[in-house]
Amino acid sequence: MHNLDQESSFIRRSISILALVVAGEAVFFLPFVLPRVFRPTLLDVFGLTNLELGIAFSVYGVVAMLAYFPGGPLADRYPARKLMAFALLATSMGGLVMTSIPSLAALNGLYGFWGVTTILLFWAPLIRATRAWGGAKLPGRAFGILDGGRGLVAAAIGSGAVALFAFFMPDEVQSASPEQRESAFRNVILLFSGITFAAAVFVWFALPQQSSTPREMPNRFEPKGLNRVIRMPTVWLQAIVVVCAYVGYKGLDDVSLYAHEVLEFDEVQSARVGTLSMWMRPFAAIAAGLLADRFGVARLTTLSLLMLALGSTMMAAGTFRPGMTAFFFVTLIATSSAVFALRGLYYAMMEEGRVPFGDTGSAVGIVSVVGYTPDIFMGPLMGILLDRWPGPLGHQYVFAVLAVFALVGLLASILFWRLVQRSIQEPIRPATSP
């Protein structure tokens, strides 16, 4: 009987983390995966310029920045199951609006709406539910599986969407009429909307009806929790680590262009370089999570930031020249692994940072507001550097920015690590409200 209970518990936990993985990526299919995979088609069908699409992304970014903070306490108060399922349902309904090929103004409004559904209602509940799944003993494994699994889901669904699009297009793609292209693209939008809706149903039935609170995390939501979290130095150090790691993530957008302009790879080879970098995500995130539970999240975070700093510095120094392929790929794999390892680690830092479980959402709000600011400044900064100094020099400046942020993050992670070590003898207690 005891074995049956253990087996049943294992199955429930497996289904729960699978739901979190699928939902964690599905909610971003329509606003981000769709334009990333089908950008030329989207621009053509909607009659947009790159700048106009960029403005839509900016609308999303501004709404998201405003939504991160209030979304945290919301997640601490209401069950993740309800918030996440409703967010996925609402996001999928936005996809139906998108099939009408709306005007630019309506598209901007749609991206603002998605900023609310994916961030205000979804992001903090996802992180809180993942932390509950891992508990105090396996935070690294939980967040490593979450981000690594999301990478696999994105790759699989993206490949399937491309196959569907090709199926509805004529054999000679270049000969497709505007009507055929629009019809095929509508089917892709419907596919993404359907998957997002299915993820809502999956979450509703897979996650517990009430917010899951492990026995070793007895804290519940309290109105004073936000003030308590603001007073915790580990939360602010974690926010610095996230912003520095996210700069590294955004900087990886440059690797394919770097391979083309610096190493003289052709366009196909350069695309493969970018793909290789992205495929490091599931392996690095999951491996980092497993290792973190064995050796410590703070220690693995520090090591990953050190690796990111070294790799970025080598590229910023102009180390690579045409023909240095093997050395470049070793550096690319190491640097990309460090970036994606950090994505699997930086929310697991909450456990070692002694954030009360009931205050998880509030902490996520603070960390996210600071940590995802590169969504606002990194794109324009990279564009300025690459356009003003075309060729190798511009790329060196881009990676110099990554190296500087990595060093700042490294310093923050070391300070975080010292606080964690000190807490082994004297536990860190959040300051209470007056």
Side-chain angles (χ1 to χ4, degrees):
M1 189 69 179
H2 181 65
N3 290 336
L4 288 176
D5 289 341
Q6 284 186 327
E7 183 177 346
S8 176
S9 176
F10 174 78
I11 293 173
R12 286 197 303 269
R13 281 175 55 79
S14 298
I15 293 174
S16 293
I17 192 63
L18 179 61
L20 294 174
V21 166
V22 172
E25 194 62 28
V27 78
F28 297 109
F29 280 164
L30 287 162
F32 292 115
V33 176
L34 182 71
R36 184 181 304 141
V37 177
F38 297 97
R39 188 183 185 99
T41 306
L42 188 149
L43 295 175
D44 181 57
V45 170
F46 281 75
L48 301 175
T49 65
N50 281 291
L51 177 60
E52 288 170 335
L53 180 59
I55 290 173
F57 288 151
S58 295
V59 171
Y60 176 95
V62 170
V63 173
M65 284 297 118
L66 296 174
Y68 277 122
F69 201 72
L74 197 66
D76 287 333
R77 189 160 198 147
Y78 299 102
R81 167 178 172 263
K82 292 183 179 180
L83 290 172
M84 292 174 63
F86 182 76
L88 286 157
L89 176 63
T91 302
S92 70
M93 294 301 101
L96 298 181
V97 174
M98 198 177 192
T99 60
S100 69
I101 318 299
S103 65
L104 176 60
L107 186 65
N108 287 335
L110 182 59
Y111 265 86
F113 170 75
W114 280 333
V116 173
T117 63
T118 63
I119 302 303
L120 178 67
L121 301 177
F122 187 89
W123 185 245
L126 173 69
I127 301 302
R128 194 181 199 275
T130 304
R131 187 182 178 196
W133 187 91
K137 296 180 180 178
L138 300 172
R141 180 176 302 181
F143 286 101
I145 291 175
L146 177 69
D147 199 72
R150 287 178 60 197
L152 283 176
V153 170
I157 299 300
S159 298
V162 172
L164 179 71
F165 183 71
F167 176 79
F168 285 105
M169 291 286 279
D171 293 335
E172 294 293 333
V173 177
Q174 298 300 328
S175 65
S177 66
E179 292 77 16
Q180 288 175 312
R181 183 175 287 105
E182 182 176 312
S183 176
F185 192 59
R186 275 199 176 101
N187 287 323
V188 172
I189 298 173
L190 287 172
L191 171 67
F192 282 158
S193 296
I195 292 173
T196 307
F197 177 82
V201 176
F202 188 19
V203 162
W204 183 261
F205 288 104
L207 296 186
Q209 294 188 15
Q210 299 298 324
S211 295
S212 177
T213 305
R215 285 191 297 269
E216 69 270 21
M217 297 175 170
N219 310 75
R220 296 181 179 179
F221 172 76
E222 297 176 9
K224 296 179 180 180
L226 182 59
N227 188 35
R228 196 164 45 232
V229 168
I230 288 175
R231 293 167 175 259
M232 297 183 68
T234 52
V235 170
W236 293 103
L237 289 171
Q238 181 184 357
I240 294 172
V241 168
V242 173
V243 73
C244 294
Y246 201 61
V247 165
Y249 174 68
K250 300 294 286 186
L252 289 183
D253 289 345
D254 186 44
V255 296
S256 59
L257 188 61
Y258 178 95
H260 181 62
E261 295 187 350
V262 178
L263 302 180
E264 299 179 359
F265 286 18
D266 62 34
E267 292 183 16
V268 174
Q269 292 171 327
S270 299
R272 288 173 179 166
V273 168
T275 303
L276 172 64
S277 174
M278 296 306 296
W279 269 106
M280 298 311 300
R281 179 180 177 184
F283 303 105
I286 293 174
L290 295 174
L291 291 171
D293 288 333
R294 183 178 179 87
F295 300 106
V297 174
R299 184 174 296 165
L300 261 293
T301 300
T302 300
L303 180 61
S304 298
L305 282 161
L306 177 61
M307 189 181 300
L308 174 58
L310 291 174
S312 300
T313 299
M314 290 181 67
M315 299 180 83
T319 304
F320 304 106
R321 297 286 186 272
M324 301 177 67
T325 306
F327 191 20
F328 167 72
F329 276 115
V330 170
T331 303
L332 173 67
I333 290 172
T335 305
S336 300
S337 296
V339 168
F340 293 120
L342 287 165
R343 286 178 62 85
L345 290 171
Y346 48 51
Y347 282 110
M349 294 173 71
M350 287 184 183
E351 194 57 41
E352 286 190 356
R354 304 298 177 90
V355 174
F357 182 78
D359 299 335
T360 298
S362 299
V364 170
I366 294 172
V367 170
S368 298
V369 167
V370 177
Y372 294 122
T373 51
D375 275 332
I376 297 174
F377 69 81
M378 267 304 285
L381 177 59
M382 288 172 61
I384 292 171
L385 294 175
L386 294 172
D387 290 342
R388 185 168 183 178
W389 291 281
L393 187 58
H395 293 285
Q396 288 178 237
Y397 286 152
V398 168
F399 282 99
V401 171
L402 266 63
V404 169
F405 272 92
L407 290 172
V408 173
L410 179 61
L411 177 61
S413 69
I414 291 172
L415 293 175
F416 183 94
W417 189 2
R418 291 182 64 180
L419 285 178
V420 168
Q421 293 299 309
R422 188 183 307 165
S423 72
I424 295 176
Q425 285 78 32
E426 184 179 348
I428 299 174
R429 299 185 182 276
T432 56
S433 302

